[in-house]
Amino acid sequence: MLRPIVNKIIQISLPEPATVAKRVSDRLPGFAACDWVAQTTSTNAELLASRRQVGNSDWPRLLGAHHQTQGRGRLGRRWLDLPGQALMFSCGFALPAKAAPSLACLGPALGISSRMALGVLVIEPDALRVKWPNDLMLKHGKVAGLLTEATTQGEQLHVVVGMGINLSGQAELSTALERDVAALAPDLQADVTAEDLICTLALAWQSTVQTIQHHGFAPYHEAFTQHDYLLGHEVSVLQQGKTIACGHATGVDPSGQFMVKTDDGVSSFDIGDVSVRLNKS
């Protein structure tokens, strides 16, 4: 079995890539392929590129790496990882192209479904929250981020969901990024393994992609509100680095849009190219 990620241990030695791939594949029989490599540019980019080589029946697919040289986050931000101290993987799903309009709220839905999946594996689940649209916060530090990308090829829509989870090395990352970063390993239950994290999230994403097509964001609205990191706080909404709104975060609406109460009333924002910053003052 995979080496457990033991609570209170800071340095984590992941098994060899082939071992990770085998163990994950055994637990995800519904996935057409589960691969893990020592290093790649970006697991999201590699999965998106693979759609040209594999047939539509060869999905869903999972690809993970011990290290990414060109990891990315939302809005083109760079994902910085310390080799051996993070879990980075992506899952790709094939859907009918006509499903594209229903995926507008996929980001927030994946954010809360990831939080719920990991919530059963941590010691203090109340400390794990989701920051709109899909960052995971542990106490006041970012512990994981999601990047969702999609492309249409003929009658097929390929959706790729990628996540980077900080397992350890939070002090170094906080210094390098000049913001609070959290690590998940010290907060995990003692018997949780790397494969538990990977497979639990992969299955949660698969379920979310399927649910969103038929029911939209509604099944996730209540849970998002319950675990909303920004709810009730003063925030700034930014677009291309410029503040476009400041006010009081009032949660998300039933379609997954972020709501802010300003002096001019309540404004709603979809994911698009906006980001939200908590005004700590």
Side-chain angles (χ1 to χ4, degrees):
M1 62 184 296
L2 295 185
R3 180 175 176 179
I5 300 172
V6 182
N7 184 39
K8 306 300 184 184
I9 300 298
I10 298 301
Q11 293 186 346
I12 298 171
S13 179
L14 294 174
E16 289 297 314
T19 301
V20 180
K22 176 63 167 62
R23 295 302 183 183
V24 169
S25 181
D26 287 346
R27 288 182 56 172
L28 296 176
F31 277 60
C34 294
D35 300 308
W36 204 278
V37 297
Q39 178 174 298
T40 190
T41 53
S42 159
T43 55
N44 262 36
E46 291 295 326
L47 270 186
L48 282 172
S50 73
R51 76 189 190 280
R52 300 186 181 93
Q53 286 79 43
V54 301
N56 291 332
S57 62
D58 296 324
W59 300 82
R61 307 177 67 84
L62 182 148
L63 173 64
H66 281 9
H67 177 54
Q68 292 184 127
T69 59
Q70 298 177 31
R72 296 169 293 127
R74 284 190 66 238
L75 307 181
R77 298 188 184 100
R78 181 188 176 194
W79 172 266
L80 180 64
D81 73 87
L82 299 175
Q85 298 187 38
L87 272 183
M88 294 158 294
F89 67 99
S90 302
C91 293
F93 306 94
L95 309 171
K98 63 182 181 181
S102 66
L103 302 183
C105 58
L106 183 58
L110 287 168
I112 187 57
S113 67
S114 298
R115 186 268 161 221
M116 301 307 289
L118 293 178
V120 301
L121 304 178
V122 298
I123 299 170
E124 299 180 67
D126 288 343
L128 186 63
R129 300 200 170 199
V130 58
K131 176 180 176 288
W132 187 91
N134 49 25
D135 284 342
L136 297 187
M137 308 294 292
L138 184 60
K139 298 182 174 67
H140 294 291
K142 180 176 176 178
V143 72
L146 275 160
L147 175 63
T148 303
E149 300 177 283
T151 184
T152 302
Q153 183 175 315
E155 297 297 318
Q156 207 72 24
L157 173 68
H158 294 97
V159 178
V160 173
V161 182
M163 175 176 272
I165 308 174
N166 300 319
L167 297 176
S168 58
Q170 67 271 32
E172 296 94 325
L173 287 172
S174 294
T175 299
L177 298 172
E178 298 182 337
R179 57 178 171 80
D180 291 337
V181 174
L184 190 63
D187 203 61
L188 288 171
Q189 297 175 18
D191 59 348
V192 173
T193 65
E195 69 175 336
D196 289 330
L197 296 173
I198 299 165
C199 296
T200 299
L201 286 165
L203 292 173
W205 298 345
Q206 183 180 34
S207 175
T208 301
V209 169
Q210 294 170 348
T211 300
I212 282 293
Q213 294 180 70
H214 305 290
H215 305 289
F217 187 72
Y220 304 95
H221 187 213
E222 182 178 352
F224 199 108
T225 301
Q226 183 180 354
H227 302 289
D228 189 343
Y229 176 74
L230 296 172
L231 182 63
H233 294 285
E234 293 296 318
V235 299
S236 296
V237 180
L238 294 86
Q239 185 175 51
Q240 297 180 347
K242 296 182 179 180
T243 300
I244 60 173
C246 289
H248 190 78
T250 58
V252 295
D253 68 15
S255 68
Q257 292 190 329
F258 183 66
M259 298 187 297
V260 180
K261 184 177 181 181
T262 69
D263 292 338
D264 298 322
V266 177
S267 297
S268 298
F269 301 89
D270 58 22
I271 296 178
D273 57 354
V274 303
S275 59
V276 182
R277 179 180 299 164
L278 179 65
N279 297 335
K280 295 184 178 181
S281 59

